[in-house]
């Protein structure tokens, strides 16, 4: 099963849920977003509901409180999104990706040395 690509706003919510490493509530998500986004409680609930509908989150109701937990592992999502990114923007060429990052000054020579050490270690 292919993993759907998340819009940036929903990915931001998922990153919070993944950091919580277990269950979280909409109130906790709201608190974690303080200073980053000015979303209303209703907006956050909408994002959480969408993520449940898409299968990224599960929800457990306890009284009036909803507890959300990740149904998709962060590592699995990152792996899928990285593969898709490489295919879509760089024709599945790692060299093209690294060259674009280096030419755009997004990575340094030290970063490249670290990458080389990683590859040599594999």
């Amino acid at each position: 099963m292919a993993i759907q690509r998340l819009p940036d706003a929903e990915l931001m919510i998922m990153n919070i849920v993944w950091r919580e490493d277990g269950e979280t509530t909409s109130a906790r998500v709201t608190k974690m977003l303080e200073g980053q986004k000015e979303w209303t409680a209703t907006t956050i609930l909408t994002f959480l509901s969408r993520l449940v509908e898409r299968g990224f989150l599960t929800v457990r109701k306890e009284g009036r409180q909803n507890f959300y937990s990740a149904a998709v592992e962060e590592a699995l999502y990152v792996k899928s999104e990285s593969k898709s990114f490489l295919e879509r923007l760089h024709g599945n060429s790692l060299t093209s990706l690294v060259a674009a990052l280096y030419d755009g000054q997004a990575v340094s020579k030290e970063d490249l040395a670290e990458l080389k050490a990683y590859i040599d270690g594999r």
Side-chain angles (χ1 to χ4, degrees):
M1 174 185 91
I3 296 177
Q4 297 175 0
R5 185 164 187 252
L6 290 173
D8 289 345
E10 292 176 23
L11 181 56
M12 184 175 269
I13 301 290
M14 281 304 300
N15 281 323
I16 290 170
V17 174
W18 283 322
R19 272 184 296 196
E20 291 295 297
D21 195 31
E23 291 185 324
T24 194
T25 63
S26 61
R28 178 74 177 145
V29 171
T30 301
K31 183 168 179 53
M32 297 294 289
L33 287 169
E34 283 179 2
Q36 296 179 51
K37 292 290 182 182
E38 298 296 322
W39 291 333
T40 65
T42 304
T43 300
I44 292 169
L45 286 171
T46 299
F47 288 139
L48 289 166
S49 293
R50 284 184 193 162
L51 288 164
V52 169
E53 288 171 13
R54 291 181 182 179
F56 280 88
L57 294 178
T58 59
V59 62
R60 179 179 65 83
K61 297 177 187 277
E62 190 172 297
R64 296 186 63 182
Q65 186 75 47
N66 288 340
F67 293 89
Y68 299 92
S69 57
V72 173
E73 292 179 28
E74 181 179 17
L76 185 62
Y77 182 79
V78 169
K79 186 178 190 180
S80 173
E81 191 60 17
S82 297
K83 185 176 183 324
S84 173
F85 174 82
L86 188 62
E87 289 170 352
R88 284 182 291 117
L89 296 178
H90 296 281
N92 217 22
S93 168
L94 182 59
T95 302
S96 171
L97 170 63
V98 173
L101 292 171
Y102 186 74
D103 292 345
Q105 298 177 346
V107 297
S108 65
K109 288 184 180 181
E110 292 79 19
D111 293 327
L112 292 177
E114 185 179 333
L115 177 60
K116 182 180 182 328
Y118 174 79
I119 291 169
D120 290 346
R122 300 294 286 189

